[in-house]
Amino acid sequence: MPQLNGGGGDDLGANDEMISFKDEGEQEEKISENSSAERDLADVKSSLVNESETNQNSSSDSELTVLPLCCVQRSAVSLHLKAERRPPPRAETFRDKTRESLEEAAKRQDGGLFKSPPYPGYPFIMIPDLTSPYLSNGSLSPTARTYLQMKWPLLDVQAGSLQSRQALKDARSPSPAHIVSNKVPVVQHPHHVHPLTPLITYSNEHFTPGNPPPHLQTDVDPKTGIPRPPHPSDISPYYPLSPGTVGQIPHPLGWLVPQQGQPVYPITTGGFRHPYPTALTVNASMSSLLSSRFPPHMVPPHHSLHTTGIPHPAIVTPNVKQESSHSDISTLNSSKHQDQKKEDEKKKPHIKKPLNAFMLYMKEMRAKVVAECTLKESAAINQILGRRWHALSREEQAKYYELARKERQLHMQLYPGWSARDNYAANQQGKKKKRKREKQQADGNDANTPKKCRALFGLDQLSLWCKPCRRKKKCIRYIQGEGSCVSPPSSDGSLLESPPSSPSMVPNSPPSKESKPQTEQMQPLSLTMKSGPLVSSSHHQHHHLSMAPPPPLALLDNSGAGKTHGPAHNGSLDPSDVSSSRPSGSAQPASACNSHSLLPSSAPTQPLSLVTKSID
DNA sequence: CGACCTTTGAAGCGG
DNA sequence: CCGCTTCAAAGGTCG
């Protein structure tokens, strides 16, 4: 059985046994609680990203210091989900129905999930049993995957561990900053690692030793920051591998991490032998994610081959490309066209885009959610994951951003000439998502995705929109005049989670790109909307929300600011900024606005968050 | 069997 | 510079 949670007492763990949900409204309420955190996160996001990048250079020590949520133990509310899983009702209008069902399902599940903190105490990370999770062939069904609980390193930090950590740190060779950001606290402690680490599951077949790609091998771009030189430190000794398997398991970051004496891409054995203290190594889970990205079976094109001879996961050869390998054959029949295409592709293997932070997160968490929720539909699961993502603490998100950054770097090194555009072209040829776009657009136009100004004035009166809204950023108007807030995202409950980040006020935060995400997040709603008249309700929420307590994150921030932990983390993340940004507190309310809660009822109850607030 | 759905983030393209 | 579009993962669902 996959679930290890139970032991932890994590509510989430309560998988199958679920108690029926009461009202969705409640769920939403709970969600709102998260919203605050989301806001913070959003604000921080940008900083995180930057941080990750900046981190490279900076070496601060403070990894340990910050323990985010630890303190904030959210009370674990027992989570009750319906054991019975209702497949989304299919109905007449498939789309609407499906949507609704998805939304509903998501809400239900999510709500349930949210009741209990996704990561209570932030303790665990579920590691998928990778037997072959990433194989495109997908021999294993998702459900088949097993997950191991891992403690999140940060949480674990304790006095003793700190010392050890420090030691590790010291021990580390001057690791390339680029690879590891000190600021991001990702150090994994050995003892924390579950003995059965998922990594073990990696199939050996995947990895055959080989030589690293030429370009990689020799050098690492000093510039890019991905160091090739042997870095003992990079490899984590802690990596949870069973002895036997170890050799075969590639280091998750193996591509990036060079080992002493070993080939740069020693996926095989080398990878794990050496201590891998650095942030990169981070969590086993994280690493697993990365490793997952590199499926063995994919055959890489010449240069794309990994040192080990293993192609980078990103590369998909047409044949191998999807699970439906057999289908390929049939496809061949379809037309010469394809044949030609194939040939072309062969010549030019399809290199996938590197996964972004959220995608990495999804990969890691999907199974968990599936297990917990009993939902299988990816759409619904993704909604939940999206919410959870928003609920993640800065640190947590930072980890993923960091991973994503590394992935991108790696990807760049592996495929120097590659550009996302290549894939665009491919699709165009293949013709992939067309309808989708149309639909999206349509939806977008709808009030369904309410952006403050957009909802308020409509597309027609774009000129009236505040600049940020026009840019898809946070609505100033909305924030500023809280009262003015029109309705939030009414539409979907799903939105609940996505709060607007505190924002506006903080123009400074360097969130260039990040800001975008935040805003986007805020408007995820598309799902729900169809149903109805949420807007009006938004008002209520607004009030409530405003009253709502600050998110747990706030604590962090505060603590960070005031307290020590500032060091590494903060520095990198800029927590200070964050905290500062929020200080007024006014921001929160605003964000609250955003948070969408459709139900009036949703309002007030989110005790937990409040509690956390007390910290102050 | 392929496209869609859904999420966030990164990147490309065009104005 | 800004906005829009595409793609990345994933699995159920529909045409």
Side-chain angles (χ1 to χ4, degrees):
Chain A
M1 297 288 294
Q3 322 177 337
L4 299 182
N5 289 350
D10 177 355
D11 321 335
L12 294 181
N15 327 329
D16 292 343
E17 288 234 344
M18 326 199 179
I19 300 173
S20 58
F21 262 3
K22 298 177 179 179
D23 292 345
E24 290 184 358
E26 287 183 359
Q27 298 171 3
E28 289 180 359
E29 292 175 0
K30 310 235 161 164
I31 293 171
S32 64
E33 144 184 9
N34 294 332
S35 68
S36 59
E38 292 177 5
R39 277 185 277 142
D40 291 347
L41 291 178
D43 289 350
V44 181
K45 260 188 191 178
S46 60
S47 61
L48 289 179
V49 173
N50 291 341
E51 181 185 330
S52 67
E53 298 193 353
T54 47
N55 285 350
Q56 296 177 347
N57 297 337
S58 65
S59 61
S60 54
D61 358 80
S62 42
E63 312 172 343
L64 313 179
T65 25
V66 179
L67 302 183
L69 293 182
C70 334
C71 340
V72 179
Q73 280 266 9
R74 295 181 181 179
S75 61
V77 176
S78 53
L79 156 56
H80 306 289
L81 295 181
K82 282 191 180 179
E84 86 175 63
R85 95 165 22 144
R86 306 183 171 185
R90 280 237 159 211
E92 312 101 77
T93 36
F94 159 64
R95 290 233 162 159
D96 292 37
K97 275 275 175 171
T98 51
R99 247 188 213 186
E100 289 179 8
S101 60
L102 285 178
E103 293 174 5
E104 242 182 70
K107 280 185 188 176
R108 251 187 293 146
Q109 305 284 358
D110 196 13
L113 291 178
F114 269 69
K115 283 184 179 182
S116 60
Y119 308 92
Y122 202 98
F124 312 96
I125 218 185
M126 301 305 287
I127 299 173
D129 175 342
L130 301 181
T131 329
S132 66
Y134 295 106
L135 297 185
S136 49
N137 295 343
S139 39
L140 293 181
S141 66
T143 54
R145 300 176 190 173
T146 59
Y147 297 84
L148 298 179
Q149 278 187 346
M150 302 268 319
K151 278 199 174 183
W152 198 261
L154 292 179
L155 293 181
D156 293 346
V157 178
Q158 299 179 356
S161 61
L162 287 178
Q163 291 178 353
S164 61
R165 251 193 215 184
Q166 190 64 31
L168 287 176
K169 202 174 167 185
D170 293 349
R172 299 180 193 164
S173 57
S175 63
H178 14 322
I179 292 181
V180 175
S181 75
N182 295 339
K183 301 193 173 181
V184 177
V186 226
V187 179
Q188 180 172 359
H189 291 274
H191 41 289
H192 292 300
V193 176
H194 188 294
L196 297 181
T197 313
L199 293 181
I200 296 171
T201 57
Y202 280 111
S203 61
N204 304 340
E205 36 179 42
H206 307 207
F207 313 98
T208 18
N211 298 326
H215 55 286
L216 291 180
Q217 233 176 352
T218 8
D219 55 328
V220 173
D221 243 6
K223 214 177 167 181
T224 57
I226 293 184
R228 287 313 178 43
H231 242 308
S233 59
D234 288 346
I235 298 168
S236 133
Y238 306 117
Y239 216 70
L241 294 181
S242 62
T245 51
V246 170
Q248 315 200 346
I249 300 168
H251 185 292
L253 294 180
W255 308 89
L256 293 179
V257 180
Q259 324 227 339
Q260 298 174 342
Q262 305 241 351
V264 174
Y265 294 90
I267 288 183
T268 44
T269 344
F272 298 93
R273 291 182 183 176
H274 305 286
Y276 195 42
T278 63
L280 272 188
T281 20
V282 181
N283 299 323
S285 65
M286 295 300 251
S287 25
S288 66
L289 284 178
L290 289 181
S291 53
S292 66
R293 290 283 296 159
F294 307 90
H297 64 291
M298 306 228 181
V299 178
H302 12 303
H303 92 298
S304 60
L305 288 178
H306 194 289
T307 314
T308 57
I310 299 168
H312 184 290
I315 299 175
V316 178
T317 53
N319 296 340
V320 183
K321 193 167 186 178
Q322 294 301 351
E323 8 312 294
S324 50
S325 52
H326 355 326
S327 62
D328 289 349
I329 298 172
S330 61
T331 55
L332 290 177
N333 298 340
S334 60
S335 68
K336 295 177 181 179
H337 230 32
Q338 292 187 351
D339 288 351
Q340 286 184 350
K341 229 180 164 184
K342 275 196 173 183
E343 289 180 0
D344 291 347
E345 288 182 357
K346 284 182 180 179
K347 291 179 182 178
K348 203 175 180 182
H350 178 79
I351 298 170
K352 294 184 178 181
K353 292 173 69 174
L355 299 186
N356 62 35
F358 178 71
M359 289 311 233
L360 289 171
Y361 171 75
M362 279 185 49
K363 263 203 162 192
E364 182 177 342
M365 302 302 296
R366 164 172 263 103
K368 184 181 177 183
V369 172
V370 170
E372 291 174 353
C373 299
T374 68
L375 280 178
K376 287 186 179 178
E377 290 181 84
S378 292
I381 292 169
N382 290 347
Q383 285 186 339
I384 293 170
L385 288 171
R387 293 175 188 175
R388 286 192 174 195
W389 172 252
H390 289 301
L392 287 178
S393 68
R394 253 198 274 174
E395 287 81 6
E396 292 171 329
Q397 284 192 343
K399 292 173 189 172
Y400 291 96
Y401 280 113
E402 178 71 4
L403 282 176
R405 184 180 64 79
K406 288 172 186 169
E407 268 235 351
R408 285 197 301 274
Q409 285 186 346
L410 180 62
H411 195 276
M412 284 179 57
Q413 289 198 348
L414 289 174
Y415 320 104
W418 181 88
S419 124
R421 181 177 121 191
D422 296 346
N423 291 6
Y424 276 35
N427 273 338
Q428 287 178 0
Q429 292 176 359
K431 72 204 171 206
K432 234 181 178 178
K433 325 175 164 181
K434 266 189 190 168
R435 283 181 70 181
K436 184 177 183 180
R437 292 266 137 22
E438 294 176 359
K439 273 211 157 192
Q440 284 182 350
Q441 285 186 350
D443 287 353
N445 292 340
D446 294 353
N448 295 344
T449 41
K451 295 188 166 178
K452 315 321 175 106
C453 288
R454 180 194 250 171
L456 201 56
F457 304 106
L459 295 177
D460 296 345
Q461 305 185 6
L462 218 163
S463 59
L464 295 178
W465 291 17
C466 64
K467 194 170 181 181
C469 267
R470 273 181 265 172
R471 296 165 86 185
K472 279 187 146 191
K473 311 240 157 169
K474 286 191 175 182
C475 178
I476 294 172
R477 190 167 288 148
Y478 186 74
I479 294 169
Q480 289 179 344
E482 294 179 357
S484 66
C485 254
V486 174
S487 55
S490 49
S491 14
D492 61 329
S494 59
L495 288 184
L496 299 180
E497 296 196 314
S498 51
S501 45
S502 45
S504 50
M505 339 255 341
V506 192
N508 313 345
S509 46
S512 42
K513 275 198 168 184
E514 296 144 17
S515 60
K516 167 186 174 185
Q518 292 177 352
T519 55
E520 288 180 356
Q521 292 173 353
M522 300 185 52
Q523 320 157 349
L525 7 186
S526 37
L527 297 178
T528 19
M529 12 305 46
K530 299 201 168 173
S531 21
L534 306 176
V535 176
S536 60
S537 63
S538 62
H539 250 31
H540 295 284
Q541 288 185 344
H542 173 43
H543 292 301
H544 296 295
L545 291 179
S546 58
M547 312 234 348
L553 290 181
L555 293 178
L556 293 178
D557 292 350
N558 293 345
S559 64
K563 297 180 179 178
T564 30
H565 77 297
H569 244 23
N570 293 347
S572 51
L573 295 179
D574 305 330
S576 60
D577 297 352
V578 174
S579 60
S580 64
S581 64
R582 299 186 199 189
S584 59
S586 60
Q588 290 179 351
S591 60
C593 259
N594 268 349
S595 63
H596 20 308
S597 43
L598 308 182
L599 305 183
S601 59
S602 60
T605 35
Q606 312 171 348
L608 295 179
S609 54
L610 292 178
V611 172
T612 55
K613 189 176 184 180
S614 61
I615 293 172
D616 259 1

